[in-house]
Amino acid sequence: MKNITAVVLVICVCCVAYAEDVSSQNASTGSARGKNVTGINASQNKESAHMAVNPVCFETVDHGDATGQAPLIHAWREIPLDPQYSGAWVVTGDVNGDGQVEIVSARNVNEGDVHYTSAVVAQRLDGQVLWRWGNPNIGRRGLHHDVACQIYDWDGDGTNEVVVCTKDSLVELDGVTGKERRKIPIPPGASDCLAFANLSGGKRATDVLIKDRYTQIWALDYSGKLLWTVRNPGGFKTAHQPVPVDLDADGRDAIMAGYALLNPDGQVRWVLENAAQFSGGHMDCCRLLHKGKTPQDCRLVLTTCAANTLLVVDGNGKVQGKVGGHHYESLNIGRISHDRLGTQILVDLVDGNALSVLDESGTQLLHLKTDYSRFHTLVDWNGDGYDQIVLPHSRGIFDFQGKRIGTFAMETQKDVYGGKPPAEGEIGHIVLCGDMTGDGVPDITITAPEKVYIFKNEKGRKSNKGTALGCGTNFTLY
């Protein structure tokens, strides 16, 4: 992509127009207005050649549905969380091999921005506790980071385990009983989060990546043997979560470790082009925008904390486009817009409590202003082949114009933030997308401090690739 500075102009045009619109709107109506804007080099690829020359940028304000105009979406299940062991971190999957999803939640300790998992509880969808593990008297319910607690069939026997990082150990818990199967010593601080990857080229991922907050990553095989470790990859901080991605289609994962991509053996493959200009921060999030026959044909999207930039790079680390001006954080990739071909990018603007939808060229298609935008997901809720935007804090689901098309019915609960939007960096309600009912259609799960709400997707379609039970492997807030 060329003429990248034009993207910034697009964003500025939209934001100025948005400010003008807000002054003439009642914020509680959630009304939307479209405005023609021009993107960068819209004929870069085959699909772009069919796109509108002047796509519409919808500018929408939503502060909730006080008037009740949007249809209420009632929960399929409401699961009270175990009051003693549960935490704000929630992952979902079949942990006991019965073919049904269970809820796993975890508490965490945060000491000077060093984190580890302190307690875990597994519950059926009827609320029954399967097992409890850990010390519920330490740690906290709130979080502003990933928690080292994932569901995965690590040994490949067909039944999932729950794997956590304590203060000094990587612990494998039996999914059926919660008993400790193995306890592998880890370095101090290497408990920030964990992710499974295929570094060895086997049939499935059997290796695990652990890390401290911003400095070092360790790769271990299933036996707990250290495969490699890297400190300040490429000379820069690590990302919040190492991102496994197979760019060569050789069955082995490379690791996006921050501004550097690591080969499966841990050696630096490349450092992001002109990474020094983003060195004031670190990589917040990385997603695969689309695959290619070669790394050069691949596209990755990443956000940079403090550098206030969203980047599109190829599989060789060369910048193909960028958008600046905001603290962009988490990313979702999907088919959102009815007006544009190809995939689109959904990203939250931490400094503006807003969501932005961009096309592959960086043209802004939607600016959705809200009370708190930090966490979100995409789901085809209407069964029309397009993704809708789910924003758990406002309990809303929105179309490509930013119009609220539904409100998730949830009780008002006393929460850790006193009913106010979470402070910057803190996560409020989180949302998970995955099959919770066993019908192969992705559903929506929204967490609250005392409950988990599951909303059955009545109109969505089954994926051709299949939809795993629960939230899948390597769930992350980023």
Side-chain angles (χ1 to χ4, degrees), residues 11 51 88 125-126 175 240 283 285 299 323 342 348 354 359 414 432:
I11 301 300
M51 297 179 185
L125 296 189
D126 62 4
H240 288 294
M283 190 182 83
C285 183
R299 292 293 181 268
V323 178
D348 55 289
D359 68 13
K414 180 180 178 182
L432 304 90

Side-chain angles (χ1 to χ4, degrees), residues 90-92 375 377 430-434 443-447 471 475:
V90 171
V91 285
T92 57
F375 203 51
T377 195
I430 64 174
V431 58
L432 304 90
C433 183
D443 305 297
I444 290 297
T445 301
I446 299 179
T447 67
C471 66
F475 176 76

Side-chain angles (χ1 to χ4, degrees), residues 28-240:
S28 65
T29 64
S31 57
R33 232 178 115 177
K35 187 174 291 294
N36 289 333
V37 294
T38 303
I40 54 171
N41 228 350
S43 61
Q44 284 283 318
N45 54 52
K46 292 181 181 179
E47 286 189 324
S48 296
H50 300 285
M51 297 179 185
V53 175
N54 294 308
V56 170
C57 175
F58 294 97
E59 299 136 4
T60 308
V61 178
D62 184 282
H63 293 304
D65 190 22
T67 60
Q69 294 181 350
L72 270 182
I73 303 170
H74 293 281
W76 175 73
R77 292 283 190 278
E78 296 182 17
I79 303 98
L81 289 172
D82 180 72
Q84 190 175 7
Y85 278 74
S86 68
W89 178 263
V90 171
V91 285
T92 57
D94 180 8
V95 299
N96 60 359
D98 65 353
Q100 298 184 8
V101 179
E102 283 79 42
I103 303 283
V104 173
S105 67
R107 295 194 178 201
N108 68 95
V109 172
N110 176 31
E111 297 175 343
D113 213 19
V114 175
H115 318 122
Y116 62 89
T117 305
S118 54
V120 180
V121 59
Q123 297 179 242
R124 299 181 190 272
L125 296 189
D126 62 4
Q128 178 184 346
V129 172
L130 287 179
W131 49 261
R132 301 178 178 93
W133 170 90
N135 184 353
N137 299 318
I138 60 175
R140 60 178 188 152
R141 298 180 64 88
L143 72 163
H144 67 275
H145 54 86
D146 279 5
V147 172
C149 174
Q150 299 284 357
I151 298 172
Y152 184 57
D153 181 11
W154 197 5
D155 60 6
D157 68 350
T159 302
N160 284 320
E161 290 79 50
V162 176
V163 184
V164 304
C165 287
T166 65
K167 189 174 185 178
D168 54 11
S169 299
L170 179 66
V171 181
E172 181 186 60
L173 303 175
D174 185 275
V176 178
T177 65
K179 293 181 179 180
E180 294 184 8
R181 298 180 58 180
R182 296 190 301 151
K183 202 169 185 177
I184 300 168
I186 59 175
S191 51
D192 188 68
C193 72
L194 62 89
F196 293 95
N198 190 340
L199 303 176
S200 57
K203 294 182 179 180
R204 55 191 303 276
T206 56
D207 308 305
V208 65
L209 301 162
I210 57 176
K211 61 182 281 290
D212 62 16
R213 188 59 175 155
Y214 290 121
T215 305
Q216 193 164 357
I217 299 172
W218 294 262
L220 310 176
D221 68 9
Y222 176 73
S223 70
K225 176 185 175 183
L226 178 67
L227 298 176
W228 50 260
T229 184
V230 60
R231 185 176 179 85
N232 294 321
F236 299 94
K237 293 180 179 179
T238 65
H240 288 294

Side-chain angles (χ1 to χ4, degrees), residues 249-264:
D250 62 354
R252 303 176 72 198
D253 288 323
I255 305 300
M256 197 71 196
Y259 294 158
L261 184 78
L262 307 179
N263 283 321

Side-chain angles (χ1 to χ4, degrees), residues 277-288:
Q277 65 180 289
F278 311 114
S279 60
H282 53 267
M283 190 182 83
D284 273 329
C285 183
C286 176
R287 291 289 180 271
L288 182 65

